[in-house]
Amino acid sequence: MPHFTVVPVKDQAQSSYDSLEGINWVDYRDTGQDCPGHQDTVSSDGHGNHKEDSPFLTTDGAGKKNDFYDRNLALFEEELDIRPKVSSLLSRLVSYTNITQGAKEHEEEESAHASCRKAPKSPNMGTLMGVYLPCLQNIFGVILFLRLTWIVGMAGIMQSLLIVLMCCSCTMLTAISMSAIATNGVVPAGGSYFMISRSLGPEFGGAVGLCFYLGTTFASAMYILGAIEIFLKYLVTQAAIFHATDPSGNDSALLNNMRVYGTICLSLMAVVVFVGVKYVNKLASLFLACVIISIVSIYAGAIKSMTHPPEFPICMLGNRTLVRDRFDVCSKTVTMGNLTMPSQLWDKFCVQGNMSSPQCDDYFIQNNVTEIQGIPGLGSGIVRENMWSDYLRKGEILEKPGIPSVDVHGAVESYGMYVSADIATSFTLLVGIFFPSATGIMAGSNRSGDLRDAQKSIPVGTILAITTTSLVYISSVVLFGSCIEGVVLRDKFGDAVRKNLVVGTLSWPSPWVIVIGSFFSTIGAGLQSLTGAPRLLQAIAKDNIIPFLRVFGHGKTNGEPTWALLLTGLIAELGILIASLDMVAPILSMFFLMCYLFVNLACAVQTLLRTPNWRPRFKYYHWALSFLGMSMCLALMFISSWYYAIVAIGIAGMIYKYIEYQGAEKEWGDGIRGLSLSAARYALLRLEVGPPHTKNWRPQLLVLLKLDEDLHVKYPRMLTFASQLKAGKGLTIVGSVIQGNFLDSYGELQAAEQTIKNMMEIERVKGFCQVVVATKVREGVVHLIQSCGLGGMKHNTVVMGWPYGWRQSEDPRAWKTFINTVRCTTAAHLALMVPKNVSFYPSNHERFTDGNIDVWWIVHDGGMLMLLPFLLKQHKVWRKCKMRIFTVAQMDDNSIQMKKDLATFLYQLRIEAEVEVVEMHDSDISAYTYERTLMMEQRSQMLRQMRLSSTERQREAQLVKDRHSLVRMGSLYSDEEEEVVETPPEKVQMTWTKEKCEAEKKKKMNAPETFRELMSLKPDQSNVRRMHTAVKLNEVIVNRSHDARLVLLNMPGPPRNAEGDENYMEFLEVLTEGLERVLLVRGGGREVITIYS
């Protein structure tokens, strides 16, 4: 089954359709021409995803063929307005290619004279040229030629094989995971970055993409340092600018030379890359040939050494290795005619004078000078001596075991004559130095656009390349240990073999084959890294997930990443200034290992989640292999350098958090989203086991919001209060109701949701939004209370606003929805919070530097009144407020004991608060209370009479009819939100009897009497008692808490009889009069706070 990747081609007219799987832009018409008359236009949604100008196909110019299809597909003609015919889709796919536009096509696009765009060249590269050889070129590098012999000498054959096996196994497992990801779709330029970001999301993708970019950049620095080391040590030794004044200063002089020449080389290479990548690509074949010839010469030299080993004698003083280029003859004396003269070696260790009474180095005097063969050859049996490790400390002299020597201290001045270790070595250090020679496995996936069959070539070519390089490394380790003397292997710079490259001494026909070949191969690898790193950075910048990198997405008119190249050069210069290949290599290893770790993680996550889109053509993968590869990457990071590993993880973590908080949101269908879904499902199923323990109880809010006719949040401080109470913890659902029909109001619903989400973001409320459409607002609110949440993750507290203006409205809908909601929350055993005067509540930017939060604890509500101030004080707005708790004592209560008990209770609850008991003495009901009660009942009776009048009913019916003729927003708890029960108009009898006539006249005559009865109404005694309580409590609360920042108060329950609802609203108004900020709280019927740990 062929796999298509598509990019736009020009066609005559524009048509569009929402993106399909793997298709960003397709013209689905049945006919088309190569030369467009009009250009297709594709807009962007700002998230890197293309969207089309119109969701409908153009129909102009449709011919008989379309008519034929329309007749045969008449049943689907509405679908065909927005979806393409299968035949049309398949016919258009043939015209697409997975090649991206290069510089040439880009210039043609920009040219005003280009009337027709040339058809893009079809990809025609196979597995060998497209994947296998590029991977070989990237994997083989500077470490093979400059450091592998030294690693074998230090670690021995066995541990060297272990190092090679660990590194190559890690890359092989990564290649298996990469092959699965690469064959699960098309991988455009960007390679591993694209794979990780699209599999694990923008946060991981950006973090690991930047790590991979830094790794590639430091790789260019490492290759340049390797090239300069070859240049200064083996090619043109006299080119050194800095020279050591004494033998101990050799290292610093070499580093300074490396910095100078490395900077010059980096500048020249950057200019070459800037001028044109085509020159780099043309030279790639030459560089690859250098690598292959150099490796072949090593094998040829090893085979030849079986019979004719090369002549590279080593001069030993005792068992110590001497620097061979500092003297001519490996002997203490030389015979010139009949005279025995001191040799140059004698002069190095002795003070000028007579041989009979010399003042020489003690070690020199007591030990003999011998000469051994540096390259004994494959059949010499030297492999037994090189089997085990011989790690050295810095400055330790290279010694050959088995040669007799007298161990005495020599003169410090003679130290420069010996070959010594320039750095301390260990197994972990060698792992970090060797690992870069196993990297480069992404070269094939980066070229997927040029491959004839990427999904076949990438796995085969990459795995074959890793297998080949692994065999070369393993065989090289064995050959080096079997052919070369141990002290020569441990001699990093070839001082014992007259400054020759150690691996060059084994090569055939000449050491210069390796020297020149390795020099050009390292230069080529450096150019490739300098070419690839800026493009990787440009790909990350163009994805727009890291805001501060946006500038690096721009470049020259032909798309070359100029700014990215400049940054890459600056970062590579930092590596050049380190100047030591052995110090740069572990840094490089960290970044590549982290990249490979996340490639394995991406494959494992996708495999375990079994997402529907996970359908790799490469079948030889398993999640266990991916986890093994991931574990090996992590282990190698800490084995090679634990402190570098921590730094690399820290850098990736900071980038991850930066993208999470500041970067643009992306939806790439990544695996982390699927992982989050699976984790959420698991957690929800666990929560279903039972209700949370009292210790874990926290208010999970359902905030009922009110929107005006323009879809604006009427009271945004409701969300402010919710954010201050929750501080990002637990569940918050913000709900609202649109009154109308769902089919007609879906657009308004989406607009309302977007408005609420924007306001939630402004007020920093972390939660969910749910808007429902209902014919009646009361029903919509009940639906929200019943259905919000999922499983165990449901709300336990409802927050709703106060129905302001209910007194001024003659419409009962102003308060009936409010009371109905109170009753529903009570029936559902939910807690309720009603912030009154919410407009006066503080914003998130305000700070209360002093003041009190007063709690009036009148009835026990499960501890809600205690818990809420504690939660509010966690927020910076309320943090400096003090908490005061008031409770009410009656005449028969012991107020002193109550205060002690309450203080003990708060101490056990670990809540700091002042405690005060307010005594309320029995007193006569005041005239004011009677008057308030009478006014309340008269108003209720009068409104009831008015609602019964015929004219008012007709007016209300007409008003309802007018309102329902429009699709409008249901404003919760306002004078427009509750439905009016539309009673049918009275039927007019066509025939009148005498009795009916009399009854009608009597009814009209009784109207004045009804008014007189209203004026002579006496208040109900139960209402008087309730009003008395409200008035007395309000007096006490205002007296004690008039200056409090917030007053929390028990909310009385609504009356059981619905006829007293209006009176209930009046009681609440009287109870909260004169208070600036009040929070009415009603418990949900369970304990929410406990004294136990």
Side-chain angles (χ1 to χ4, degrees):
M1 178 68 187
H3 188 93
F4 295 95
T5 310
V6 294
V7 296
V9 296
K10 302 297 179 179
D11 220 324
Q12 188 169 0
Q14 174 189 339
S15 64
S16 54
Y17 177 62
D18 292 336
S19 296
L20 295 177
E21 178 71 29
I23 300 174
N24 286 336
W25 170 261
V26 183
D27 187 353
Y28 291 109
R29 289 170 292 106
D30 294 321
T31 59
Q33 299 175 4
D34 289 333
C35 293
H38 304 282
Q39 292 196 358
D40 293 13
T41 56
V42 181
S43 59
S44 174
D45 61 359
H47 299 296
N49 303 317
H50 294 298
K51 61 181 182 179
E52 290 75 13
D53 295 335
S54 170
F56 300 104
L57 293 172
T58 55
T59 57
D60 47 334
K64 294 180 180 180
K65 188 176 179 182
N66 282 340
D67 294 336
F68 173 76
Y69 272 108
D70 291 340
R71 286 199 305 273
N72 284 276
L73 300 175
L75 182 61
F76 297 94
E77 58 186 14
E78 291 189 359
E79 294 289 310
L80 291 175
D81 285 341
I82 58 172
R83 289 178 170 83
K85 291 184 281 288
V86 175
S87 58
S88 175
L89 169 63
L90 295 177
S91 65
R92 300 305 301 165
L93 283 174
V94 182
S95 302
Y96 287 80
T97 175
N98 58 358
I99 274 191
T100 54
Q101 284 186 339
K104 186 176 181 182
E105 289 83 356
H106 189 88
E107 289 170 3
E108 289 172 354
E109 186 72 24
E110 294 293 325
S111 175
H113 302 289
S115 58
C116 297
R117 198 182 80 180
K118 296 181 180 179
K121 184 181 178 182
S122 299
N124 56 4
M125 296 185 74
T127 304
L128 180 68
M129 297 300 296
V131 180
Y132 180 72
L133 292 179
C135 281
L136 281 185
Q137 183 180 359
N138 279 267
I139 295 173
F140 285 134
V142 64
I143 301 297
L144 171 64
F145 303 116
L146 293 184
R147 293 293 182 268
L148 188 56
T149 53
W150 175 70
I151 290 172
V152 173
M154 291 295 180
I157 294 175
M158 298 304 293
Q159 291 191 19
S160 297
L161 289 175
L162 180 60
I163 292 173
V164 172
L165 187 64
M166 288 171 57
C167 296
C168 293
S169 298
C170 177
T171 53
M172 177 62 80
L173 292 171
T174 304
I176 292 172
S177 299
M178 184 199 72
S179 298
I181 299 173
T183 57
N184 191 51
V186 176
V187 180
S192 60
Y193 161 69
F194 186 91
M195 286 190 287
I196 294 170
S197 62
R198 269 55 177 181
S199 297
L200 293 180
E203 293 88 1
F204 278 114
V208 181
L210 276 184
C211 284
F212 189 51
Y213 163 74
L214 292 173
T216 309
T217 304
F218 275 102
S220 64
M222 184 189 74
Y223 289 128
I224 292 171
L225 288 174
I228 299 304
E229 183 178 312
I230 295 170
F231 179 75
L232 291 176
K233 283 282 186 180
Y234 311 114
L235 279 176
V236 190
T237 54
Q238 61 270 24
I241 301 173
F242 300 94
H243 299 278
T245 54
D246 55 63
S248 60
N250 280 334
D251 291 343
S252 59
L254 174 64
L255 295 181
N256 289 329
N257 286 318
M258 299 274 279
R259 292 184 180 107
V260 172
Y261 280 101
T263 304
I264 295 171
C265 183
L266 174 64
S267 304
L268 292 174
M269 291 166 72
V271 170
V272 171
V273 173
F274 177 78
V275 169
V277 184
K278 58 183 179 181
Y279 301 111
V280 178
N281 293 331
K282 286 179 179 178
L283 292 171
S285 301
L286 172 64
F287 298 142
L288 177 61
C290 292
V291 173
I292 295 174
I293 292 171
S294 299
I295 293 172
V296 170
S297 73
I298 294 173
Y299 284 103
I303 294 171
K304 181 177 178 293
S305 71
M306 293 179 65
T307 55
H308 299 86
E311 289 292 329
F312 284 98
I314 305 170
C315 192
M316 307 292 295
L317 176 61
N319 63 353
R320 297 180 180 179
T321 311
L322 297 174
V323 178
R324 191 65 181 85
D325 65 332
R326 298 206 171 185
F327 53 90
D328 52 359
V329 179
C330 183
S331 173
K332 292 184 179 181
T333 60
V334 292
T335 302
M336 299 180 66
N338 293 325
L339 296 175
T340 301
M341 302 289 293
S343 65
Q344 289 185 5
L345 184 62
W346 179 285
D347 294 339
K348 297 290 183 182
F349 282 95
C350 299
V351 178
Q352 294 292 335
N354 252 336
M355 288 182 63
S356 57
S357 58
Q359 295 181 0
C360 294
D361 184 280
D362 289 341
Y363 190 87
F364 179 75
I365 292 295
Q366 299 187 33
N367 287 279
N368 296 323
V369 176
T370 57
E371 197 171 52
I372 62 174
Q373 184 66 7
I375 313 294
L378 198 57
S380 63
I382 196 69
V383 64
R384 289 189 295 273
E385 295 182 14
N386 294 332
M387 192 65 69
W388 309 110
S389 62
D390 186 13
Y391 297 114
L392 301 176
R393 297 184 300 274
K394 183 177 181 180
E396 190 174 348
I397 297 172
L398 271 63
E399 298 177 349
K400 177 176 171 57
I403 297 181
S405 67
V406 179
D407 191 11
V408 294
H409 290 289
V412 177
E413 294 81 6
S414 304
Y415 179 77
M417 291 297 297
Y418 302 113
V419 180
S420 60
D422 64 329
I423 59 172
T425 53
S426 63
F427 178 80
T428 57
L429 175 76
L430 298 184
V431 171
I433 291 175
F434 177 77
F435 186 80
S437 63
T439 61
I441 61 174
M442 301 290 182
S445 63
N446 291 342
R447 295 167 176 255
S448 62
D450 300 325
L451 300 175
R452 189 184 307 115
D453 186 358
Q455 298 193 357
K456 177 184 175 183
S457 297
I458 289 176
V460 174
T462 305
I463 292 174
L464 278 179
I466 294 174
T467 305
T468 304
T469 53
S470 300
L471 291 175
V472 168
Y473 287 141
I474 291 171
S475 59
S476 297
V477 167
V478 175
L479 288 176
F480 293 158
S482 304
C483 296
I484 305 176
E485 175 63 50
V487 288
V488 179
L489 287 174
R490 290 187 287 277
D491 183 6
K492 184 187 291 186
F493 300 114
D495 292 329
V497 285
R498 296 185 181 275
K499 300 289 185 183
N500 276 296
L501 183 62
V502 174
V503 70
T505 60
L506 183 61
S507 64
W508 179 87
S510 167
W512 288 101
V513 175
I514 290 284
V515 173
I516 295 173
S518 60
F519 177 75
F520 282 110
S521 68
T522 49
I523 289 288
L527 279 173
Q528 292 285 352
S529 298
L530 269 183
T531 305
R535 279 156 182 75
L536 178 60
L537 181 62
Q538 187 181 41
I540 298 172
K542 283 188 174 181
D543 267 343
N544 201 24
I545 58 174
I546 304 177
F548 69 83
L549 290 181
R550 286 173 187 159
V551 65
F552 299 108
H554 307 296
K556 294 193 291 187
T557 54
N558 62 353
E560 290 297 316
T562 309
W563 292 108
L565 176 62
L566 180 62
L567 179 65
T568 303
L570 293 175
I571 297 174
E573 178 63 22
L574 296 178
I576 297 294
L577 294 178
I578 295 175
S580 172
L581 182 67
D582 304 316
M583 293 181 68
V584 173
I587 300 174
L588 172 66
S589 299
M590 289 305 113
F591 292 125
F592 276 119
L593 279 168
M594 181 164 290
C595 175
Y596 296 165
L597 184 150
F598 281 100
V599 169
N600 285 297
L601 177 62
C603 180
V605 167
Q606 297 278 33
T607 306
L608 288 175
L609 289 178
R610 297 192 180 103
T611 51
N613 188 51
W614 182 244
R615 303 184 297 274
R617 290 193 175 278
F618 181 77
K619 301 299 182 185
Y620 305 101
Y621 68 93
H622 193 270
W623 64 266
L625 292 176
S626 299
F627 269 114
L628 180 61
M630 185 175 66
S631 304
M632 288 191 68
C633 289
L634 191 62
L636 285 173
M637 286 177 68
F638 283 92
I639 285 173
S640 57
S641 177
W642 63 268
Y643 44 89
Y644 278 161
I646 292 174
V647 170
I649 292 172
I651 291 173
M654 287 189 291
I655 297 170
Y656 178 95
K657 298 304 291 184
Y658 177 81
I659 297 173
E660 186 178 24
Y661 286 110
Q662 298 291 334
E665 294 182 4
K666 299 284 183 181
E667 178 48 62
W668 286 331
D670 52 84
I672 290 296
R673 191 176 181 87
L675 191 62
S676 301
L677 184 62
S678 296
R681 172 183 169 274
Y682 174 77
L684 286 173
L685 290 174
R686 288 290 302 273
L687 287 175
E688 279 286 280
V689 174
H693 191 273
T694 303
K695 292 186 292 185
N696 296 326
W697 194 97
R698 66 165 60 244
Q700 316 290 4
L701 302 183
L702 169 61
V703 183
L704 298 176
L705 268 194
K706 177 178 180 180
L707 301 179
D708 58 20
E709 289 78 5
D710 297 326
L711 298 180
H712 296 143
V713 177
K714 197 163 186 180
Y715 298 112
R717 288 296 165 86
M718 292 274 288
L719 293 175
T720 310
F721 171 71
S723 70
Q724 293 169 4
L725 182 64
K726 298 292 290 179
K729 305 294 190 302
L731 175 70
T732 304
I733 303 173
V734 181
S736 189
V737 179
I738 296 176
Q739 190 171 351
N741 181 274
F742 179 77
L743 295 177
D744 300 329
S745 307
Y746 185 68
E748 286 80 358
L749 181 144
Q750 288 185 309
E753 280 188 346
Q754 191 59 46
T755 300
I756 293 175
K757 286 177 181 177
N758 292 340
M759 187 56 67
M760 289 171 68
E761 187 175 350
I762 292 171
E763 298 295 339
R764 298 177 183 175
V765 176
K766 295 184 181 298
F768 308 98
C769 168
Q770 186 161 353
V771 180
V772 299
V773 179
T775 53
K776 299 176 183 178
V777 176
R778 177 190 293 182
E779 293 179 359
V781 173
V782 174
H783 291 161
L784 285 174
I785 292 174
Q786 289 184 87
S787 61
C788 279
L790 180 63
M793 199 67 175
K794 292 181 72 70
H795 57 278
N796 55 28
T797 305
V798 177
V799 181
M800 65 174 175
W802 179 260
Y804 304 104
W806 69 273
R807 280 175 172 166
Q808 289 73 29
S809 174
E810 298 175 354
D811 194 338
R813 295 179 300 169
W815 42 267
K816 278 198 172 183
T817 299
F818 175 83
I819 296 177
N820 184 69
T821 306
V822 176
R823 287 196 173 101
C824 288
T825 55
T826 305
H829 301 289
L830 301 175
L832 177 66
M833 288 188 285
V834 181
K836 197 165 182 285
N837 302 327
V838 72
S839 299
F840 296 106
Y841 276 53
S843 69
N844 285 324
H845 304 292
E846 297 180 43
R847 303 283 188 279
F848 286 143
T849 55
D850 56 3
N852 300 309
I853 299 176
D854 286 356
V855 176
W856 284 86
W857 192 22
I858 299 166
V859 295
H860 183 54
D861 57 355
M864 279 281 290
L865 286 173
M866 311 289 181
L867 185 61
L868 292 176
F870 171 77
L871 295 176
L872 279 175
K873 280 169 62 64
Q874 307 304 307
H875 197 273
K876 55 191 175 184
V877 172
W878 306 91
R879 187 166 294 148
K880 294 187 177 180
C881 292
K882 295 181 179 178
M883 184 174 165
R884 298 191 301 182
I885 296 182
F886 298 89
T887 189
V888 176
Q890 302 299 323
M891 281 298 293
D892 53 348
D893 293 328
N894 185 342
S895 58
I896 297 175
Q897 188 61 39
M898 282 180 65
K899 185 172 183 178
K900 288 182 179 178
D901 293 343
L902 183 55
T904 304
F905 180 57
L906 290 176
Y907 177 78
Q908 292 173 335
L909 288 175
R910 290 91 63 201
I911 292 178
E912 295 182 6
E914 296 180 17
V915 176
E916 195 163 340
V917 178
V918 178
E919 296 181 349
M920 289 187 66
H921 301 287
D922 288 341
S923 60
D924 294 333
I925 297 173
S926 64
Y928 172 73
T929 302
Y930 273 108
E931 183 180 351
R932 289 293 297 262
T933 309
L934 185 60
M935 288 173 58
M936 175 185 71
E937 294 191 352
Q938 284 178 347
R939 180 180 179 279
S940 299
Q941 187 70 14
M942 183 167 59
L943 290 175
R944 196 176 294 114
Q945 293 292 342
M946 291 176 65
R947 285 198 295 273
L948 290 176
S949 67
S950 174
T951 55
E952 183 65 18
R953 185 167 59 249
Q954 290 175 2
R955 187 184 71 81
E956 187 67 15
Q958 183 62 40
L959 180 60
V960 170
K961 181 180 178 182
D962 293 343
R963 285 173 179 160
H964 280 280
S965 64
L966 300 172
V967 177
R968 61 181 183 81
M969 297 305 301
S971 303
L972 299 181
Y973 330 124
S974 72
D975 60 346
E976 295 181 352
E977 60 197 10
E978 180 55 42
E979 74 284 357
V980 170
V981 179
E982 293 190 45
T983 57
E986 294 180 357
K987 294 182 179 179
V988 180
Q989 301 290 338
M990 301 304 295
T991 56
W992 289 81
T993 62
K994 184 177 181 181
E995 292 79 6
K996 288 183 179 178
C997 243
E998 291 294 332
E1000 188 67 23
K1001 289 178 181 178
K1002 188 176 181 181
K1003 183 178 178 181
K1004 291 180 180 179
M1005 291 173 64
N1006 283 341
E1009 295 177 7
T1010 304
F1011 182 73
R1012 284 193 294 272
E1013 289 175 5
L1014 184 65
M1015 299 307 295
S1016 61
L1017 184 69
K1018 291 184 178 181
D1020 181 81
Q1021 287 303 311
S1022 64
N1023 286 339
V1024 171
R1025 288 197 305 272
R1026 290 186 175 89
M1027 183 64 75
H1028 175 68
T1029 303
V1031 170
K1032 291 291 289 180
L1033 270 176
N1034 179 257
E1035 288 177 0
V1036 174
I1037 293 171
V1038 171
N1039 183 39
R1040 301 296 184 95
S1041 302
H1042 62 277
D1043 58 347
R1045 299 296 188 185
L1046 180 65
V1047 176
L1048 284 83
L1049 184 63
N1050 284 117
M1051 182 177 181
R1056 293 183 178 88
N1057 186 0
E1059 293 181 359
D1061 287 353
E1062 292 169 274
N1063 301 337
Y1064 173 69
M1065 297 297 297
E1066 188 68 34
F1067 294 146
L1068 293 180
E1069 285 282 10
V1070 172
L1071 185 62
T1072 56
E1073 271 183 351
L1075 298 174
E1076 184 179 16
R1077 302 183 193 92
V1078 184
L1079 181 63
L1080 296 172
V1081 181
R1082 186 164 172 76
R1086 62 161 294 173
E1087 293 293 329
V1088 299
I1089 197 168
T1090 178
I1091 63 174
Y1092 300 106
S1093 62

